[in-house]
Amino acid sequence: MRLNHLDLHVPDVARTVAVLTEHFGLRKEFARDGLVVLRDDASLELVISEPVPGFGTTDQLSIGAATYHIGFIVDAPEVVDEIYVLLGTADVQLARPPRAIRGGWLFYCTIPGGIQVEVGCRSIPA
């Protein structure tokens, strides 16, 4: 068995998809009525969709809590720093600047839909 996809429910699919495609390298594979399937170069499938009342689902904003985050890994601390700077003009809320955490170099931000995103690498700058 393998994980097929993740589906994140957000109140504004277009805003969330715009940030993920413009700043995190995901590409749009499929879109229909309140649902967009994104994919990365390693074939990760990430679905961004509106909450489905019939399924009893909700989104991060309506529950008022961050219950998960998604993480992107890059090869070097310098790349983490570059992404942090580029996101300064994006539709995101940046938390603290990159720093050493759990043996890596990383930062967190929040993208539209209240989704917390981690960007990091496994090494710490000298």
Side-chain angles (χ1 to χ4, degrees):
M1 185 182 311
R2 69 178 178 83
L3 181 63
N4 176 259
H5 67 276
L6 298 173
D7 187 347
L8 305 178
H9 295 185
V10 300
D12 189 334
V13 172
R15 275 183 67 210
T16 304
V17 167
V19 169
L20 289 168
T21 56
E22 292 171 24
H23 299 284
F24 293 98
L26 295 168
R27 65 186 175 283
K28 193 183 298 185
E29 293 278 317
F30 174 82
R32 72 166 165 78
D33 303 327
L35 181 143
V36 175
V37 176
L38 303 172
R39 190 173 305 277
D40 71 3
D41 292 337
S43 295
L44 169 76
E45 187 174 289
L46 182 62
V47 179
I48 304 299
S49 64
E50 296 172 340
V52 182
F55 291 163
T57 60
T58 189
D59 61 72
Q60 295 292 90
L61 296 180
S62 64
I63 61 173
T67 58
Y68 58 82
H69 74 272
I70 57 177
F72 293 91
I73 193 160
V74 297
D75 293 330
E78 298 80 21
V79 178
V80 174
D81 294 339
E82 290 169 14
I83 293 169
Y84 182 83
V85 169
L86 289 172
L87 288 176
T89 60
D91 187 12
V92 304
Q93 296 173 346
L94 289 168
R96 291 183 253 176
R99 62 191 175 117
I101 300 175
R102 296 182 308 281
W105 187 251
L106 58 100
F107 71 90
Y108 292 92
C109 64
T110 304
I111 66 173
I115 299 168
Q116 188 176 51
V117 173
E118 174 186 325
V119 178
C121 69
R122 294 217 155 75
S123 60
I124 298 174

